Amino acid sequence: MSNYSSLLSLVPLLPFFSAVILLFSTLPKLWISILAVGSVASVALISLFFNFIFWQQSDFILTANLGTWIHIDQLTINFGLYLDALSLVMITIISGVGALIHLYSTGFMYEDPSFKRYFIYLNLFVSAMLFLVLADNLLLLYLGWEGVGLCSYLLIGFWYQDRSNNLAANKAFLMTRIGDTAMAIGLFLLFTHLGTLDIQEIQSKAHQTWSLSNNTIASICCLLLLGGAVGKSAQLPLQNWLPDAMAGPTPVSALIHAATMVTAGIYLIARNSQLFQLAPDVLYIIALIGTFTLLLGASAAMVQSDLKRILAYSTISQLGYMFLALGVGAGASAVFHLMTHAFFKALLFLSAGALIYCLHHEHNIFKMGGLFKKLPIVAVSFAIGCSALASLPFTSGFFSKELILEQVVASNHTGLWWAAVLGAFITAFYSARLFFVVFLGKTQSIPDAVPTKAMSLALGILCVFSLVGGIHPEGLKTLMPPLHSNGLSALHHWLPITLPFIAISLAWWMFKTKRFGKPINSTLLQSVHQLLKSGWAFDRLYQTVFVSPFKFLCQLNNRDIIDLFYRLIEKISCALHMVFSHFQNGNLRRYNASLILFCILAFAWYITGELTL
Amino acid sequence: MLDTIFIITAAIILISAILTITAHNVVHALLYLIVTMLAVSLVFFILGSSFAAALQIIVYAGAIMVLFLFVTMMLHQGEKSLAQERHLFHFSSSITALVLCSMLFFELIYLLFLMPVASNTIFTTALSPIVTVKQIGMQLYGPYSLLVVISALMLLSALITAIHISKNPSTTKIKTQDNDL
Amino acid sequence: MIPISWILFLSLSLFTIGIFGVLARRNLLFILISLELMLNAVVILFIAGSRYHSASIANSDGQIMYLLVLTLAASEIAVGLSLVIHMYRQHHHLDIDKLNTLRD
């Protein structure tokens, strides 16, 4: 087992070392690509190897220890790694999809002057994410959490010469920071009450210390951890950084904001599932948040005209599905949907990237059209991705989404089920709209480039996985047992399967009658359209509630009250200088007078001295 | 009898001193100063130091004051100087000096006369015998010969300084210009 | 016999009058004149001191000191007056309040 431990310890370290080597050396582009892609690809191979040897077992645990980090009194934090079914799924996704995205980036970013910096950040991100999912204690998890937040900031603002990119990166960082602070406070509370930060120990000690009837503190801790997850996974109310984060390069959006970083919140809750079982109220809140978010994302994606923003809102919506699944207690299906979502969303983002690359950075879908014959590979990838997103039968998305809907039924939350079904309908609608508007109809912009070989290869592999990747990992079912259902009624079974087809036909009719992309006549519909397009106007809400009062307060402090104190000191010393400089004005008579004055004072001193004697 | 003469002389000294410093005309002030010096010489006579008294009249009043007068003659411009001087010295502008000096005076009086000290031995000494010129000469050639040398050096340095400072700058400049050519 | 306290008083008053002259007058010549007054005051004290020194031995230190003070006064006046002439040539007035270009 020790060989496996050392192999495990290589997993998060390989990309980190690659980033460090890239940082301190100057290599030609070929070698940079080989090093960067190679490190993540070797991690992918290691994780496939682990999958292979642990194929039959469903409750294996593999640990490794990279060294002690903190050792004070009773607190010992190691750089400990913990591999079980959940983390194995995560590292397979991260390294697999990550390696494909690295390969894709070598083609996409080839003409960019900061080629090396891009791969340093990307490798650093993969390393931090692997630390996050392999951590055996919450503090190391938090380290990875912060690391991915940092790399996300660096990569969103990658083209930093443009100020709007910097603002988008700041927005992402600040909003996730709010969640991070909540999570940190949750960590402190957990440590205070349970005395440990080791994840498995927390799960067992929580059940000993708290029970379902005495669970206020457990609820508070879970609520705080939920805060962190909400920030990182772009759920309500911290979701409006994700559409703006599309300012970064498209492979970055694919890796960070579709497949890996935004899934960190889901992972956190899944990892601490036994702790969350002690707080059913918090679980219900999670389900509610998930439902509202999925409706928000879907309705907003319906009316966008920017290609990447559609995919961003779609990501928010699908993450809502995962939160819903976690909230009703079906963690295994949430992680399964995470896996399939990683495949098809990465595929969609990478195809979008290929589209943008071939059309010279055109983002507006209403300026594209009829590209089916001109870019066949991209069109096929998009078709497969959109059908997986719409959960058409026998794509990977179909299996995971149907499973989630089944589990929601089994938990007897009918209202949530109807909301989720409505969301599925809208999802299918907008994915069909996207495909039709971009690839069918009249050609408006002519592509003058084709995707490079690296890009096409990555797209091809992801297409395959999006079609056949719908295999539920068994180990997850052991860790997070699914809800037992008493059989589904016919409505519950067949409605979700037929809905996508209805939605696609509706979209086809609207496309044929040319209703997409035309200005709307009635003002009511126009305001509804505006509301949906801005993501339920959350940006405006936060602007008026938080940003404007803060700016007002800063305006009040424009003269800088604290600085006034120091300026006062300066003024006093200047005044003293004015006073004292009169003693040196070159006036001889004044010098004489001061001589006599001090003579008088000396005599007076002597007299008083003699008197007291 | 000597007391009365002393008191009158002291009064003359003080009155002419005050008149010296409050005069507007420089020449008047110098004349008052000469009167003061003559009265001081008289005090020296009363105290029995005839040599000092003679020197006071010859050197101080006779040479130094005359030097003052020569320079005043060079710089004094009659009515214009008088007007200038009236502008410069005004009673109200000397209030501060008056206050300071009176404070100093009262402090010194207090220190010397009014302090509650046990014994004031200096006020009870007797007079020593009168010194003759011959004795002074013997002191000067004997124990205090270095003093004479030093005072000679002092006079020499003063002489050189006075010559150098009061040279006409135009004459010195011409020489340097010749060197440059 | 004159009590030495009278001579002390005279010397003190003359000295104070001299200080008043130095402080209150702006003309350079008058300052030099007041300086002379102060020197005279000190000299009176010296002479009186040697006279009232001891009852038996004759003491001529006071008059010798007077000689030195006289020399000092002479050289000081020489240098001082040459400076006065120099100043008058440059500035055409003798006001020391206007001579303050050595300040900051």
Side-chain angles (χ1 to χ4, degrees):
Chain A
M1 272 313 223
S2 60
N3 320 349
Y4 296 160
S5 295
S6 41
L7 212 53
L8 176 62
S9 50
L10 271 183
V11 165
L13 285 178
L14 272 179
F16 181 71
F17 288 147
S18 148
V20 169
I21 293 174
L22 280 177
L23 180 62
F24 290 117
S25 64
T26 48
L27 297 166
K29 275 191 186 163
L30 178 64
W31 283 103
I32 295 178
S33 342
I34 291 181
L35 185 57
V37 177
S39 60
V40 185
S42 11
V43 172
L45 284 176
I46 295 176
S47 50
L48 283 176
F49 175 68
F50 279 134
N51 268 308
F52 178 63
I53 53 175
F54 291 129
W55 190 255
Q56 296 302 339
Q57 307 164 310
S58 54
D59 56 349
F60 58 92
I61 294 174
L62 182 62
T63 55
N65 193 343
L66 292 173
T68 316
W69 183 8
I70 303 175
H71 183 67
I72 310 171
D73 273 353
Q74 308 97 337
L75 177 63
T76 310
I77 307 273
N78 298 324
F79 286 111
L81 306 176
Y82 182 87
L83 187 73
D84 65 351
L86 176 58
S87 5
L88 185 57
V89 168
M90 295 301 293
I91 64 170
T92 318
I93 300 172
I94 295 167
S95 50
V97 177
L100 290 172
I101 292 181
H102 275 74
L103 181 62
Y104 180 92
S105 310
T106 57
F108 189 81
M109 299 291 287
Y110 197 75
E111 281 104 31
D112 197 291
S114 314
F115 193 71
K116 187 174 84 149
R117 182 164 65 99
Y118 177 81
F119 277 107
I120 294 172
Y121 291 161
L122 216 58
N123 271 353
L124 199 60
F125 172 82
V126 172
S127 165
M129 190 73 200
L130 287 170
F131 267 116
L132 198 160
V133 299
L134 283 174
D136 75 343
N137 57 66
L138 281 176
L139 201 60
L140 186 58
L141 193 149
Y142 192 69
L143 176 67
W145 195 273
E146 294 297 314
V148 298
L150 170 70
C151 293
S152 160
Y153 167 80
L154 289 171
L155 283 165
I156 296 174
F158 185 71
W159 291 312
Y160 56 84
Q161 288 88 355
D162 193 353
R163 183 154 167 75
S164 54
N165 296 345
N166 295 333
L167 292 175
N170 278 348
K171 186 173 176 181
F173 194 75
L174 282 173
M175 296 195 82
T176 50
R177 204 87 194 90
I178 299 173
D180 294 349
T181 316
M183 184 172 156
I185 299 176
L187 287 190
F188 298 152
L189 268 179
L190 277 174
F191 182 69
T192 317
H193 287 279
L194 296 178
T196 174
L197 282 176
D198 188 286
I199 296 183
Q200 304 303 318
E201 276 181 35
I202 286 181
Q203 315 298 320
S204 46
K205 272 201 188 162
H207 277 279
Q208 289 164 7
T209 330
W210 300 315
S211 61
L212 269 177
S213 52
N214 170 26
N215 64 352
T216 8
I217 305 179
S219 299
I220 295 175
C221 290
C222 292
L223 209 55
L224 289 169
L225 288 179
L226 171 65
V230 158
K232 211 42 137 213
S233 300
Q235 301 294 298
L236 223 77
L238 293 173
Q239 91 288 359
N240 51 340
W241 62 268
L242 194 51
D244 288 333
M246 297 295 121
T250 316
V252 164
S253 310
L255 183 60
I256 297 185
H257 306 125
T260 37
M261 185 179 100
V262 294
T263 58
I266 319 268
Y267 171 76
L268 179 69
I269 299 181
R271 186 40 105 203
N272 292 306
S273 52
Q274 289 175 339
L275 175 64
F276 275 86
Q277 275 167 13
L278 285 171
D281 300 330
V282 180
L283 285 175
Y284 189 62
I285 294 176
I286 296 180
L288 275 182
I289 288 178
T291 319
F292 278 118
T293 311
L294 74 91
L295 285 176
L296 186 156
S299 56
M302 206 166 51
V303 296
Q304 298 293 322
S305 57
D306 183 323
L307 176 60
K308 284 174 75 173
R309 279 181 95 95
I310 297 180
L311 296 176
Y313 278 112
S314 156
T315 306
I316 295 177
S317 167
Q318 297 302 307
L319 289 168
Y321 267 105
M322 297 179 217
F323 261 67
L324 172 61
L326 281 172
V328 301
S333 44
V335 179
F336 180 42
H337 191 62
L338 191 157
M339 188 174 89
T340 56
H341 173 259
F343 294 142
F344 63 72
K345 195 46 71 64
L347 174 65
L348 276 173
F349 264 109
L350 293 185
S351 336
L355 208 55
I356 293 171
Y357 178 81
C358 299
L359 288 171
H360 275 293
H361 295 283
E362 176 61 66
H363 283 236
N364 192 344
I365 56 172
F366 294 113
K367 293 213 175 73
M368 312 175 190
L371 293 170
F372 192 82
K373 293 216 172 48
K374 303 212 169 50
L375 297 171
I377 303 179
V378 179
V380 166
S381 324
F382 236 104
I384 296 178
C386 284
S387 40
L389 179 56
S391 62
L392 290 179
F394 303 110
T395 54
S396 58
F398 171 70
F399 291 113
S400 52
K401 197 179 286 187
E402 300 315 308
L403 190 57
I404 291 182
L405 290 173
E406 267 183 45
Q407 298 285 296
V408 173
V409 170
S411 68
N412 291 325
H413 286 127
T414 339
L416 295 181
W417 187 81
W418 279 108
V421 165
L422 176 64
F425 180 76
I426 305 179
T427 307
F429 178 73
Y430 70 69
S431 30
R433 166 181 178 261
L434 176 61
F435 185 72
F436 294 151
V437 170
V438 173
F439 287 102
L440 305 178
K442 261 199 328 215
T443 315
Q444 299 198 3
S445 323
I446 314 243
D448 50 358
V450 269
T452 65
K453 285 207 181 53
M455 291 159 72
S456 318
L457 179 61
L459 286 175
I461 298 180
L462 279 173
C463 284
V464 169
F465 273 115
S466 301
L467 286 177
V468 306
I471 308 171
H472 191 108
E474 288 302 318
L476 290 177
K477 286 202 200 146
T478 327
L479 278 178
M480 294 169 282
L483 295 168
H484 184 69
S485 68
N486 311 328
L488 293 173
S489 64
L491 173 71
H492 291 151
H493 192 72
W494 286 107
L495 186 60
I497 299 183
T498 52
L499 263 183
F501 294 107
I502 304 177
I504 293 177
S505 346
L506 180 62
W508 180 253
W509 173 76
M510 286 184 76
F511 179 67
K512 273 296 171 193
T513 55
K514 294 197 190 330
R515 281 170 193 259
F516 286 140
K518 277 227 298 246
I520 304 173
N521 295 336
S522 83
T523 41
L524 175 66
L525 275 184
Q526 202 163 34
S527 47
V528 169
H529 181 259
Q530 199 55 37
L531 183 70
L532 290 180
K533 188 162 182 183
S534 61
W536 293 8
F538 263 89
D539 275 337
R540 278 239 319 251
L541 177 70
Y542 289 152
Q543 183 77 21
T544 41
V545 172
F546 292 117
V547 180
S548 303
F550 182 68
K551 272 194 185 167
F552 174 69
L553 287 175
C554 288
Q555 200 59 27
L556 283 183
N557 196 24
N558 202 9
R559 301 275 316 282
D560 202 350
I561 299 175
I562 308 287
D563 206 34
L564 272 178
F565 173 67
Y566 293 106
R567 273 191 263 141
L568 183 69
I569 294 180
E570 177 210 338
K571 280 206 181 99
I572 288 176
S573 56
C574 273
L576 280 178
H577 166 74
M578 284 290 135
V579 166
F580 283 128
S581 68
H582 282 290
F583 282 103
Q584 212 187 355
N585 60 349
N587 193 340
L588 272 172
R589 280 173 55 213
R590 205 175 277 208
Y591 293 172
N592 290 339
S594 61
L595 247 176
I596 303 299
L597 178 68
F598 280 97
C599 257
I600 294 174
L601 288 176
F603 279 132
W605 190 323
Y606 178 71
I607 289 174
T608 50
E610 286 288 313
L611 281 179
T612 52
L613 271 181
Chain B
M1 167 82 172
L2 221 47
D3 295 356
T4 354
I5 297 179
F6 178 78
I7 289 174
I8 297 172
T9 319
I12 293 174
I13 290 179
L14 291 176
I15 292 172
S16 52
I18 291 177
L19 285 172
T20 307
I21 60 171
T22 55
H24 284 295
N25 197 339
V26 190
V27 182
H28 291 185
L30 284 171
L31 291 174
Y32 282 127
L33 192 60
I34 292 179
V35 168
T36 313
M37 306 235 169
L38 291 177
V40 168
S41 166
L42 192 52
V43 167
F44 289 166
F45 269 121
I46 293 174
L47 285 176
S49 325
S50 48
F51 180 62
L55 272 182
Q56 174 89 353
I57 297 178
I58 298 170
V59 176
Y60 226 128
I64 296 176
M65 286 300 118
V66 172
L67 186 57
F68 251 112
L69 273 166
F70 277 144
V71 171
T72 312
M73 277 195 312
M74 279 208 300
L75 306 178
H76 191 77
Q77 278 154 344
E79 200 46 50
K80 178 168 164 227
S81 295
L82 281 176
Q84 235 179 10
E85 199 52 45
R86 273 194 211 101
H87 170 69
L88 286 179
F89 182 61
H90 212 263
F91 178 66
S92 52
S93 58
S94 56
I95 292 279
T96 324
L98 200 59
V99 166
L100 279 177
C101 292
S102 46
M103 273 176 64
L104 186 65
F105 183 64
F106 286 131
E107 268 191 355
L108 286 170
I109 297 292
Y110 185 82
L111 258 179
L112 286 171
F113 300 116
L114 302 175
M115 288 255 288
V117 183
S119 57
N120 275 334
T121 47
I122 54 165
F123 299 141
T124 53
T125 42
L127 288 170
S128 42
I130 291 178
V131 181
T132 58
V133 185
K134 181 172 175 186
Q135 283 171 329
I136 292 176
M138 285 179 62
Q139 289 278 28
L140 278 177
Y141 273 96
Y144 289 125
S145 52
L146 206 52
L147 266 172
V148 179
V149 176
I150 288 174
S151 51
L153 273 173
M154 195 157 59
L155 284 169
L156 177 66
S157 60
L159 182 68
I160 295 173
T161 312
I163 291 174
H164 180 75
I165 289 177
S166 48
K167 248 204 208 165
N168 207 342
S170 53
T171 49
T172 44
K173 282 241 170 61
I174 291 173
K175 283 202 181 120
T176 50
Q177 277 171 3
D178 277 341
N179 285 336
D180 286 341
L181 283 175
Chain C
M1 169 151 152
I2 303 163
I4 193 170
S5 52
W6 292 10
I7 300 177
L8 267 178
F9 184 77
L10 166 68
S11 174
L12 274 177
S13 334
L14 197 56
F15 190 74
T16 316
I17 292 172
I19 288 182
F20 175 67
V22 168
L23 288 181
R25 310 257 0 188
R26 279 159 74 179
N27 196 337
L28 205 50
L29 273 175
F30 274 98
I31 292 179
L32 288 173
I33 290 170
S34 315
L35 226 50
E36 292 302 310
L37 276 179
M38 285 159 72
L39 279 172
N40 272 297
V42 170
V43 148
I44 294 178
L45 211 50
F46 269 122
I47 304 282
S50 83
R51 179 78 156 109
Y52 286 84
H53 181 71
S54 59
S56 50
I57 308 173
N59 195 331
S60 63
D61 289 344
Q63 303 193 43
I64 293 170
M65 194 62 207
Y66 169 71
L67 203 57
L68 220 58
V69 172
L70 199 57
T71 318
L72 170 74
S75 30
E76 171 210 331
I77 285 298
V79 175
L81 285 176
S82 59
L83 282 174
V84 164
I85 294 174
H86 194 80
M87 178 181 170
Y88 190 76
R89 277 205 199 127
Q90 285 228 303
H91 302 279
H92 299 286
H93 65 78
L94 284 173
D95 187 0
I96 60 161
D97 272 352
K98 298 213 173 64
L99 265 186
N100 58 358
T101 50
L102 264 184
R103 64 172 174 187
D104 55 11

